[in-house]
Structures are given as C-alpha cells and as structure tokens.
Amino acid sequence: MADAHAVPHHDYHLVNPSPWPLVSSIATVIMFIGAVVWMKGLVPADSGPLASALLSDGKQALFFAGLAGVLVSMVGWWADVIKESRQGDHTPVVSIGLRYGMILFIASEVMFFAAFFWMFFEMAVFNEARGHVPEIGNWAGTAAAWANPDGTSIWPPKGVEALDAWQLPLLNTIILLLSGTTVTWAHHALQVGDRKATKIGLGITIALGVLFTAIQAYEYNHIIHENLFFNEEAANSGLYGSIFFMATGFHGFHVLIGTIFLTVCLLRILAGQMTPEKHFGFEAAAWYWHFVDVVWLFLFAFVYVTFG
C-alpha cells in the first residue's frame, strides 16, 4: 500500500520542502537595508560601537552580507532545479510550466524598463513644461535649468554634455546584435546535436557580453571623471543623469546577469549535460539574452540618438 502511494499517478512534480524561498527572502531584505545604510545610514555615527559599525552612513557590511546570502540562495535553488531535471522530474507538463514562468518573468522585466522609458520620454518630450513650473522652493532652479533666457526649452538641460551616439554606444549596439546572432547559432547547433558548434557559439556570446560590460564601464568612468552630467553648471539638471544611469545601468546589470546565465549553460554543456531534446535552461537563457538585446536597441535609438 505504501509503495502504491509512493509512485505518482500524474504528470506534475511536487517539489520537496526547500529552505531557499525563505533564505532568499531574508537575504534580499538584508541586502536592501544594507544598501540604504551604505548610501544614507540608519543611525548616527555615535550610536554605539555595534550600531555605528553596521548601520551608520557608508557602512557596507550589511549589504555584502545580504548579497552573499542572495548568491548562495541562487546557487542552491537553481542547483536543485537542475537536479530535478536530471532525475526526470521535468515532465512535458512541468516543462510547459517552466516556459510560462520564464515568459511571465520577461514580461515583468518589460514593465520594469517601461517605467524608465516613461520617465525619460516625459522629460524629453515635455521638457518645455519644465520652464513654466512655479518658482517655489527648488522648482525655481529646475525651471532655470530647463529653459533658455528667451523662454524656449532646451534638451538636454543646461550644463549636460550628451554622449556621441555614434562612438561607444554604436560599438556596443553592434556587439549586442552580433551576440544575438551567435547565441542563436549556438541554440540551433544544440538542437541538431552539434555540441562543438554550441560551445563555440556560446563562448563567443559570453566574450561579447563581457566586452559590452567593459565598454560600458569605460563609458561611465568617462562621464563621471569628465563631469559630463553632474557639474556646477548642471547643478539643477540632475534628472537627466539620474534617469540615464538608471536606465542604462540596469540594462548593464541585466547584461551581466545574462552573461552569468550563459556561462552556467556553457559549463553544463562542457559537463555533458543538455541534449537536443532537453535543454530548457539554455533556451531560457537565449530568450533572456534576446530580451536584453531588444531593450538596448530602444535605449540606443531614444536615449542616445533621438533625444541625445
């Protein structure tokens, strides 16, 4: 009787009790509290040895402790998912659920970036309205930054030196478009059983992702050290620099995550895992990478070219 109940009679996989949802939630809360402490602090510096060491302005220990917990949770949780797949728990029905989950995740990421684009478009398209805000409090400085003496609007705001879209941004666009081609080649090669081509295509894609990140880091370093966005003349124009770094910076973070995602796939393929019939981990990584490519095309077209 016990054996009869031990054998499932359905296509669904009921996961074993796991600590990772709770651990990752706690670690995430600690990480974001740590980020607030790092940037602003929660207690004065003279609040006592322990409190000041952990919670005063500029302290980084809490943030990195939370980050370590998040990384451990990611490795442990996804390792369990891979183990389930290798044990045969990912039936066709379960695989469909995994695909729905990845699609919904990418849809949520689309909404995430839509918020940044909405803010940027609101500033760029309706910048003339910034010159007519009431001169109350800090709004007076904002109105001065967004308007010429003759009353016409100006974009980007005064003091901001926009980047040349046809230099590093164009180079990064070419790099990402090329990486989208190589990851598609690698995916097709895996589907037809050509593991050598899969490894080569994945390796090239990962190298291009690293190159993109390096170029963006160089670009950020140039912006900061040359004071292109934040300087005395642009003292009241901080919205431009803030939304630029938020939109392009979060995209760069997604490129970094995607590069790690593809690197894990490459390591699994080198270890003899994934087959032409069963490789959803790589398929999900390819979807994510194409999403990152498309977001960058919008960033390049509007942030750098059209409104740059």
Side-chain angles (χ1 to χ4, degrees):
M1 191 70 175
D3 291 339
H5 286 289
V7 179
H9 298 284
H10 54 75
D11 292 330
Y12 296 92
H13 172 54
L14 304 179
V15 297
N16 296 322
S18 171
W20 302 122
L22 178 60
V23 172
S24 61
S25 299
I26 294 173
T28 303
V29 171
I30 293 173
M31 183 177 69
F32 281 105
I33 292 176
V36 173
V37 171
W38 188 353
M39 292 183 286
K40 295 292 185 181
L42 292 179
V43 299
D46 57 355
S47 299
L50 182 60
S52 61
L54 292 177
L55 301 177
S56 59
D57 186 12
K59 301 302 181 182
Q60 306 172 14
L62 206 61
F63 172 81
F64 284 106
L67 177 61
V70 170
L71 294 176
V72 169
S73 300
M74 291 166 61
V75 172
W77 200 339
W78 290 334
D80 287 348
V81 175
I82 293 173
K83 188 184 300 182
E84 292 167 2
S85 174
R86 293 176 61 79
Q87 290 174 348
D89 293 328
H90 290 178
T91 63
V93 171
V94 173
S95 296
I96 291 174
L98 292 173
R99 283 170 168 75
Y100 284 160
M102 192 64 193
I103 291 170
L104 290 174
F105 169 69
I106 292 176
S108 72
E109 293 283 76
V110 171
M111 296 298 102
F112 178 81
F113 280 100
F116 293 129
F117 281 110
W118 187 300
M119 181 61 184
F120 187 84
F121 289 155
E122 196 276 336
M123 291 193 301
V125 176
F126 301 106
N127 62 84
E128 186 174 354
R130 294 289 184 271
H132 303 290
V133 295
E135 295 191 4
I136 302 173
N138 294 333
W139 284 113
T142 302
W146 288 69
N148 285 319
D150 60 1
T152 59
S153 63
I154 180 173
W155 179 265
K158 292 177 184 177
V160 173
E161 296 183 44
L163 297 170
D164 187 350
W166 308 111
Q167 294 185 10
L168 292 181
L170 176 61
L171 177 59
N172 264 348
T173 302
I174 295 172
I175 288 171
L176 275 191
L177 289 177
L178 182 59
S179 72
T181 302
T182 55
V183 77
T184 301
W185 170 40
H187 185 205
H188 174 74
L190 182 59
Q191 287 178 317
V192 298
D194 188 350
R195 299 183 70 85
K196 181 179 179 181
T198 301
K199 297 170 187 176
I200 295 173
L202 258 181
I204 295 174
T205 306
I206 292 166
L208 291 171
V210 172
L211 181 60
F212 177 94
T213 302
I215 292 174
Q216 188 173 50
Y218 175 82
E219 180 183 76
Y220 278 13
N221 182 71
H222 174 69
I223 293 170
I224 293 170
H225 284 277
E226 297 296 328
N227 296 318
L228 300 185
F229 297 166
F230 304 103
N231 52 65
E232 291 184 4
E233 189 179 357
N236 296 303
S237 307
L239 279 176
Y240 179 92
S242 297
I243 194 62
F244 176 89
F245 281 119
M246 287 290 285
T248 61
F250 268 110
H251 175 268
F253 176 72
H254 281 70
V255 171
L256 179 60
I257 294 298
T259 304
I260 296 172
F261 200 172
L262 292 172
T263 300
V264 172
C265 291
L266 178 58
L267 293 175
R268 292 187 61 196
I269 290 172
L270 290 173
Q273 302 178 21
M274 296 191 180
T275 64
E277 297 78 21
K278 197 168 186 179
H279 57 266
F280 175 68
F282 182 27
E283 191 174 352
W287 291 356
Y288 186 83
W289 195 255
H290 289 310
F291 159 74
V292 169
D293 287 352
V294 172
V295 170
W296 177 256
L297 290 178
F298 277 93
L299 286 170
F300 177 72
F302 295 106
V303 175
Y304 286 99
V305 178
T306 306
F307 298 110

